[in-house]
Amino acid sequence: MTTQHGGKALAEFVAEATEILDALGRDLLALDEARDQEADPERINGIFRAAHSLKGLSGLFGQERITQLAHAAEDLLDRLRLGRLTLDDQVLDALVDALDTFQSLLGETSRGEEGDDLTRRTRAMEERLARMGSPAPPVEEDPLERLELDAQVRAVFTEYEEHRLRENVRRGVALWRVRAAFDLTDFDQGLADLNARLKPLGEVISTLPSSRPGGATGIAFDLIFGAKVDAQALEAGLQGTPAELAPLVVRPPSGADVAPVLPPADAVAPRTKRGGKKKGTRARPLALEAGPLQPLLSADTGATTRDVPSETTSHGTPGLVALPTSGSAGPPRMRTVAGPSSTTLGLQSAASAPLPAGRPRPEETSLRSLTQTVRVDIGRLDGLINMVGELLLIKANLQRLAEASRQDGTVALSKLFGQELSRETRQLERKLEALQEGLLEARMVPVGQVFDKLARLVRRIAREAGKEIDFVSTGGEVELDKLIVEELSDPLMHLIRNAIDHGAEGPEARLSAGKPRRAVVRLRAEQKGNHVLISVSDDGSGIDEARVREVALSRGLVTPSQVSEMTRRELLNLIFLPGFSTRSSVSALSGRGVGLDVVKNNLGNLSGIIDVWSERGKGTAFHLTLPVTLAIVRALVVGVSGRTYAVPLNSVLEILAVQPHDIRTVERREVLDLRGQTLPFLRLGRLFHLPEREVNRHFVVVVGLAQQRLGIAVDELFGQQDIVTKPLGGRLSAVKGISGATDLGNRRTVLVLDVAELLEEGIAQERRRA
Amino acid sequence: MKFKVLIVEDSKVSREHIAATVEAVDGVEAVTTASGFEALKLLPRQRFDLIITDINMPDINGLELINFVKKNPNYRDVPLIIVTTEGREQDRSRGMALGAAGYLVKPFLPEDLEALLRRFLKPL
C-alpha cells in the first residue's frame, strides 16, 4: 500500500485538515483580539506552522487548490514571522479571509467537488496574499554577526530561530545560554518545567539537545534564551532548577560609537551564579571558551567556522546579507539596525498594500465541521469495555442456566430457577442500560466547539457592520450529540448575524437612546434534564411588530383578517415564515436574507423548538430547546382506534384531557383554547382514516416544533419507552405523518409519528382556511 | 532480520504516509514518533538503521536532532534523511551540512523514498 488515496484516506485528510484549520482559527482569533498590541511571535509562528502543515498535508493528497493557497499563506506568514512584513489590519483581515477560503475548499473536497467559482476565489485570494507588504529595505549589517555564538550552534538553527535570535540582538535583549541536564526518562517533563519558568522571563529561542555531559542515562540541553529581566531576576526565577546560566556576548554595532547595549553590566561581571547550586560558578561568555562548551561546539572539528554561516546565508535568504565576517570589519555605519529600518518597514507595508475599504465580504462559509469523527475520552472507552466484560459474565451465567434447563431432570424448573433467571435478566437490563448510556455519552461533544467558531465570526461581522459588540458566551461545556452540535452551527450563525446586523444599533444610535455605546450579544447554553436550552440574545432595539405586520401583509404571507386577530406573540412568530425579511433593503451582511425560516427548518430537523422574545428598545432573544441526542429517543406510546403509535417525547410539550364540548370549530376547523391561545386540533384517527369511536373525553398530546404548536387527539395513553426509529423503506416512506417504525419489545412493531409533518398538516389546514 | 527505520514527523497523516511507504518495502520495519523529544527517548532504547525526520517540529527542530545524532558516538553512523516542504532550501542545506545523508521534498513519490531506502539500507 504505497498510495492511500481511497475514501478512507480522504476522510482522514479532511479530519486532519479540519484540525489544522481549527487551530489556525483559534490563533487568528487571539491575534484579532489583540489587534492593538504587538503580536506574540510564538503565535505567529504557530499560525505559520499550521499553514505549513496544511501545505504538506494537502500536497500529500494531491489537493492542488488547497496546496497552492496554503503555499501563498505560508509565504506571507513566513515573511511575517521573519520580520519582513508587519502584521497590520489588512494582513490580519486577509488571513481571516484566507481561512474562510480554506474552509470552503475543504468543504468541496469532502464532497468530492471542484467548483469553478471557488477556484477563481482561491486564485484571487492567493494573489491578495502575495500582494501583501513589500520586501524589506536592505539591512546594512546583520546584527547576528555581532553575536559571539559558535557557527556550529548557529548551523542547527532553522531560519526562523535565526530570525528570532536576530530580532533579540537587534532589540538589545540580553541573551543567555541556559544549560540543564536531565534524566533520559523524564527530560521532557523537566524541560517543560524549565520552559514554564523561563516563559514569563523572556523568549526561549532554541532548544539544543546534547548528549555530552549526560552519559548513558542523562541528556543535557542548551536553551538559547532572550531575557526580558535582569540577571538577578533570571537567577531568582530559575532557583531550584538544574539550570546553569551563561551570558552570550554581543559586540556593539560595528564602527558605532554606541555604548555596548548588551549584555547588562552585571551579567558580564563575574557575579552570575548557577541557580540552585551553592558553589558559584562564574558566568562565561559563550563562544570565547572551548572548555565548557563542548556540547555546543563540535569536539571533532577544528572549526574555522565563521565562514559557515555566511556561506549558508548567502543564498536563498533575501533578508540576510552576507558580510565579511572576519573580525569586526563591517561597513562603518553609525546607526544600529534597529529603530529606523523597522519603522520604515511598517510604513511601507501599510502603504504598499492598498485595499479598498469596502472589500467584498467573503462568501458565507458554513461553520459545520467536515469530519464525521468524534474524539472519545479514553476513560469513557475504558468504561464501555468494562461494561462489555460484565455483560459477558452475565451471558456466561445465562448460558449456564440454559444448559442446566436443557439437561432434562437435573434441575426441575423450580421457582428457585425462575428467580435466578430473573435476577440475571435484571442484571442484564441494568448493564445494557449503562452500556447504552455510555455509548450515547461517547457521541457527546461540548457545544463550545461551535461557540469558538462563532466568536471568530462575531468580530468580523461586527467590524463589517460598523457595530461595536461585546460577545459573551457561556455554557460552552454543555454537551450535546455530535450530530446536533454540527447541525446547530448554521442556525446559530444566522441568529448571531441577525442579532448584530438587525438587532444591535450602531454606537451613535445607542448613545442617543441612553444605552452604553457597545451592544452586547449573548450566546448561552444550559442543560435542563434531557434538553439543552441555547439562547442568542442582544440588547438592541427589539423587533417592531407593527413593521412585521406590515411586511407580512405586503408580502402576502397573511391576510388582513388573520392579522387583526393576532396577539403580539403571534405577530412576532411571523418572522419565521419563508420569504420574510424586515429590512426593506437587504444589507450586504445578510445578503441571502434573514433566513429565519431556514433556521426554523434546521431546528425542526433536530426536533428542536425555537421561541422568540422581543421588547422594543430592550432587545431580542431567541430560545432554542434541543434534545440531548437523536440516536435513541424517549417516546410516548399512544392508542388510536385500537392501533398503537409512538410520539417522540422531545416534541411533546404537555398532555391534556379535554371534553368533546371544549373543542370549538372556527371556520370549519377544530381548535382548542389553551390558556388564552388558540391551539390547532388534529384528530389522528381522522387523519389516518381509522374508524372513529365515540368517546366521552379526548387525550390531547400537545406537540411543538420550532415555533409551531399542535394538539393531537388520541384515545389512550400507554406510557413512555426508549425507541430507536427505523426508516420505512420504499413506497411506505412517502406516507404522510409517519417517520418510521420501531420495535417496542415483545416483538411488537409500531409506527412512529412524524411530528414535523403533522404540524405541516395543521398549517396546511390553516392555509386552506385562509 | 528486518531493518528498522525511525520516522520523526509531527503531522499524523504525513507520518503514516511515510510509514506505509517504508513498510511497503520488504524487510523494513517502521517505528514512528511525533516529536523530537520522543525520538531522543527512543534512540538509546532501540537500534535504528535509518532515521527520517521532518525539520519544522514543535519541541526540538529536525536540525537539532541531526546534530545530536551526528555528535553522539553511539548513533553517528545512522544515516538521516530530511523531509522538508518546498521552499525551505535553507533549512535543507543546513541539514545536509550537519550530516544528513539525503532529503525528500514533500510531496514526494513513494519511488523516491524507496530509492533512498535502498541506497542506505544495504543489502536490501
Side-chain angles (χ1 to χ4, degrees), chain A residues 44 47-48 51 72-82 95:
Chain A
I44 304 232
I47 299 176
F48 163 79
E74 184 197 13
D75 238 37
L76 174 73
L77 286 158
D78 205 22
R79 280 181 281 153
L80 269 179
R81 70 179 196 137
L82 295 177
L95 286 171

Side-chain angles (χ1 to χ4, degrees), chain A residues 106-240:
Chain A
L106 199 57
E108 284 203 355
T109 301
S110 69
R111 294 189 298 272
E113 300 166 9
E114 193 168 327
D116 289 342
D117 271 4
L118 188 54
T119 305
R120 271 194 295 278
R121 222 175 101 202
T122 307
R123 288 274 154 70
M125 193 70 232
E126 280 164 32
E127 277 161 27
R128 181 167 158 206
L129 291 178
R131 275 201 312 270
M132 290 278 142
S134 58
V139 178
E140 280 81 3
E141 186 202 38
D142 183 357
L144 263 193
E145 299 303 334
R146 295 189 277 120
L147 176 68
E148 305 261 350
L149 182 62
D150 192 272
Q152 290 277 317
V153 176
R154 254 181 79 174
V156 299
F157 288 160
T158 57
E159 197 178 353
Y160 172 64
E161 287 168 339
E162 200 170 67
H163 163 71
R164 291 311 310 162
L165 191 62
R166 180 177 295 119
E167 271 305 296
N168 277 286
V169 172
R170 182 176 290 168
R171 288 170 186 218
V173 174
L175 290 165
W176 297 84
R177 186 201 67 195
V178 181
R179 172 171 297 176
F182 301 98
D183 200 63
L184 198 50
T185 51
D186 61 354
F187 70 85
D188 40 359
Q189 189 51 51
L191 264 183
D193 292 345
L194 185 58
N195 269 303
R197 297 271 204 111
L198 285 171
K199 197 84 208 287
L201 306 174
E203 179 183 356
V204 176
I205 298 162
S206 182
T207 304
L208 303 102
S210 136
S211 56
R212 242 4 106 92
T217 59
I219 187 163
F221 288 88
D222 283 323
L223 279 62
I224 305 298
F225 183 70
K228 287 191 297 203
V229 297
D230 63 19
Q232 282 99 332
L234 183 56
E235 264 184 71
L238 293 177
Q239 203 67 244

Side-chain angles (χ1 to χ4, degrees), chain A residues 1-2 12 16 48-49 52 55 57 59-61 74 78 81 152 154-159 161-162 184-185 187-188 191 206-207 209-212 219 221 298 300 312 315 317, chain B residues 10-14 16-17 20-21 24 37-38 40-41 44 55-61 63-65 67-68 71-72 76 85-86 88 90-91 93-94 98 106-108 110:
Chain A
M1 44 165 286
T2 43
E12 234 175 90
E16 185 163 340
F48 163 79
R49 287 183 47 78
H52 178 74
K55 185 177 104 177
L57 183 72
L60 209 54
F61 284 86
E74 184 197 13
D78 205 22
R81 70 179 196 137
Q152 290 277 317
R154 254 181 79 174
V156 299
F157 288 160
T158 57
E159 197 178 353
E161 287 168 339
E162 200 170 67
L184 198 50
T185 51
F187 70 85
D188 40 359
L191 264 183
S206 182
T207 304
S210 136
S211 56
R212 242 4 106 92
I219 187 163
F221 288 88
S298 130
D300 49 12
T312 344
H315 63 87
T317 327
Chain B
D10 59 329
S11 151
K12 179 167 167 281
V13 170
S14 238
E16 284 170 3
H17 176 70
T21 311
F37 279 174
E38 286 305 312
L40 291 178
K41 285 187 172 184
I55 295 291
N56 273 289
M57 292 185 295
D59 45 26
I60 61 167
N61 72 49
L63 298 176
E64 285 157 352
L65 180 66
N67 192 48
F68 175 82
K71 293 288 152 58
N72 190 307
R76 61 158 41 122
T85 12
E86 225 184 310
R88 306 238 70 84
Q90 183 186 316
D91 291 346
S93 59
R94 286 198 175 180
L98 285 169
K106 280 191 267 191
F108 58 86

